[in-house]
Amino acid sequence: MHKVKIMGTGKYIPEHKVDSAELDQVLQLPRGWAEKKSGVKTRYYAKGEHASSMGAKAALQALSDASLELDEIDAIVCASGTMEQPIPCTASLIHQKLAPSRPIPAFDINSTCLSFVTAFDIVCK
């Protein structure tokens, strides 16, 4: 097993905020129902954004946090329970948006809520 270290993290949160009370109203549910059932008070909705554009923004933030340049990484792995489209994979769409100066292998790991754990296990081997 290789030694793997998380050197930086990044995130992207869409601007459109939806709280549970708004969701209750839209779905014609009793006030407080969505929060009580899910435990989630606030969600964020991506209007006109795709997984790859949000992933590229998060990747750039992670690279900055790690003090790395895009061309210093070995692979782009998109770990998600949902995909933007079947073909090409989301990781290759992220690769396209990042526009590295050299080809970087890119692939998806789609294993529901366990995608990050699965992807991390795979890159450790």
Side-chain angles (χ1 to χ4, degrees):
M1 186 175 280
H2 300 286
K3 290 184 179 180
V4 174
K5 175 169 91 171
I6 297 173
M7 297 175 62
T9 60
K11 66 180 177 183
Y12 175 77
I13 299 174
E15 290 182 26
H16 186 69
K17 195 175 189 179
V18 180
D19 66 20
S20 288
E22 184 180 349
L23 194 58
D24 290 338
Q25 186 177 4
V26 170
L27 298 175
Q28 299 177 346
L29 297 168
R31 187 168 178 81
W33 186 90
E35 185 176 351
K36 182 179 179 185
K37 291 293 183 181
S38 68
V40 177
K41 186 173 186 166
T42 305
R43 296 159 179 81
Y44 295 88
Y45 179 72
K47 279 188 173 181
E49 296 177 289
H50 296 94
S52 59
S53 60
M54 294 185 285
K57 289 174 184 176
L60 288 172
Q61 195 177 85
L63 288 167
S64 175
D65 187 51
S67 298
L68 290 172
E69 296 296 322
L70 178 59
D71 291 332
E72 294 180 276
I73 65 172
D74 297 323
I76 297 170
V77 182
C78 178
S80 177
T82 58
M83 59 183 146
E84 184 169 318
Q85 61 188 36
I87 298 171
C89 69
T90 306
S92 68
L93 298 172
I94 291 170
H95 182 285
Q96 181 183 40
K97 286 174 177 44
L98 293 173
S101 63
R102 66 173 177 82
I104 299 172
F107 60 95
D108 284 4
I109 301 293
N110 300 314
S111 59
T112 66
C113 298
L114 297 172
S115 295
F116 173 78
V117 175
T118 305
F120 195 69
D121 182 54
I122 289 169
V123 300
C124 285
K125 295 186 184 227

